[in-house]
Amino acid sequence: MAVTVGVAFFQLGWPWWHDEGDRNHVHRAADGTPQHYQVHLPPQWDGRTGLPVVMAVHGCGMTGFGWNSMKHTTQFNPLADQEGFSVVYPTQRPFQSWQNCWSPLDPRHQQRGAGEPALLAGVVRDVVRTYGADPARVHVAGASSGAGVAVVLAATYPELFATATSVAGWEYGVDQLDLEDPDATPPTTTARQAWAQMGDRQRQLPMLVLQGGRDEVVPPLVGERLVQHRLAVEDLVDDGLLNQSLELGAATSTVTDEGGHSSQRTLHLTPEGRALVDYHVVPELGHAWPGPDGRGSYTDPVGPDASRLVWRFAQHHDLGLPIS
């Protein structure tokens, strides 16, 4: 009993910590499996205007809104209040992982209609229905294992998300990757699997990727593979073939933040000027969420303000389709 209470306190706070504008909820799957999450509503929410939504998925050693939370790491709430969007913080269920990780490396959680993808898709649908959010402007952003979840959701539920963001994350199906022999499983192989998972829901889904040059947990090779993986997925969505028929332009630039730290940005654009993959490499960044205001074990002021990048990227994309 004491262990159970302690775990609940770590993950959810006591009693379910919340600040002004926060609402706590539990989504229940058809089999009764619960998924706790917190919604932050900005002052602009009036119950009638459909606001955009960012779902922020935490990484290992973190929670959604309890101790060492994604909520405090990203500082999305002040930004949401300023810009007028809602934020959703799911938190991993107790005792699923000793590090409180999500499970995007497990094939059982890489499928539509099952496991964590189904639970989080249910959370999105609940938020849209409960708060009248704009279903065409729902975005998912994750850190570490949460970034892996965001990439999985882009493949399993592409009709729900206008964009996905990976901070220190990896490609769909990365459990097949051997870092000692990465060429044995090229990113085109996992791209085919992600594309197949999309099924008849396939669509171009823009992705923002942030990678630390000093990340020893998710090394730069993995971030580079994610970019190549997503470009291959977009190529497959274009005509079902990996023939590079999707002509993307790549613009590379150096960006310097207020602290004088530089990062390299490569923007992959369609001929119409639409961003499909926005890739940032921060040479000085380790395994952390970059930004000047974050609080928690996995934050670092080195590099760009990731939360503002997520929102800026989201503002340029909408789904244009109803949730089914």
Side-chain angles (χ1 to χ4, degrees), residues 289-320:
W289 183 278
D293 302 318
R295 290 181 284 141
S297 301
Y298 299 103
T299 61
D300 196 326
V302 170
D305 185 336
S307 300
R308 287 192 176 274
L309 283 182
V310 170
W311 175 239
R312 191 178 305 153
F313 189 67
Q315 285 179 292
H316 293 286
H317 303 279
D318 65 65
L319 193 60

Side-chain angles (χ1 to χ4, degrees), residues 18 60 156 288:
H18 63 277
C60 296
T156 53

Side-chain angles (χ1 to χ4, degrees), residues 177-198:
L177 174 64
D178 179 0
L179 285 176
E180 299 297 323
D181 186 17
D183 292 338
T185 306
T188 52
T189 296
T190 55
R192 287 186 182 279
Q193 295 167 3
W195 174 66
Q197 185 62 220
M198 285 182 168

Side-chain angles (χ1 to χ4, degrees), residues 179-311:
L179 285 176
E180 299 297 323
D181 186 17
D183 292 338
T185 306
T188 52
T189 296
T190 55
R192 287 186 182 279
Q193 295 167 3
W195 174 66
Q197 185 62 220
M198 285 182 168
D200 59 7
R201 301 166 298 276
Q202 62 180 269
R203 53 172 288 268
Q204 291 182 338
L205 197 155
M207 185 169 290
L208 172 65
V209 179
L210 280 82
Q211 174 65 47
R214 295 182 178 176
D215 192 336
E216 296 181 357
V217 179
V218 179
L221 168 66
V222 176
E224 180 62 35
R225 281 184 58 102
L226 172 57
V227 173
Q228 297 307 314
H229 166 92
R230 287 304 307 178
L231 293 175
V233 170
E234 299 296 358
D235 193 16
L236 287 163
V237 168
D238 182 49
D239 63 1
L241 300 172
L242 279 173
N243 55 7
Q244 297 182 337
S245 62
L246 181 63
E247 297 181 2
L248 298 181
T252 301
S253 59
T254 299
V255 181
T256 303
D257 67 16
E258 294 180 358
H261 307 286
S262 64
S263 57
Q264 185 179 67
R265 179 191 189 192
T266 303
L267 187 60
H268 297 270
L269 299 162
T270 66
E272 298 78 28
R274 183 168 179 258
L276 283 185
V277 179
D278 192 355
Y279 180 37
H280 296 250
V281 178
V282 187
E284 300 176 53
L285 182 67
H287 193 65
W289 183 278
D293 302 318
R295 290 181 284 141
S297 301
Y298 299 103
T299 61
D300 196 326
V302 170
D305 185 336
S307 300
R308 287 192 176 274
L309 283 182
V310 170
W311 175 239

Side-chain angles (χ1 to χ4, degrees), residues 77-115:
N77 287 8
L79 180 61
D81 290 348
Q82 176 185 343
E83 298 288 339
F85 62 93
S86 300
V87 194
V88 181
Y89 302 100
T91 201
Q92 177 59 294
R93 290 167 292 141
F95 308 111
Q96 299 303 303
S97 162
W98 71 273
Q99 287 186 304
N100 217 44
C101 299
W102 298 92
S103 309
L105 299 178
D106 185 338
R108 294 173 298 178
H109 296 279
Q110 296 172 1
Q111 309 296 320
R112 183 183 178 91

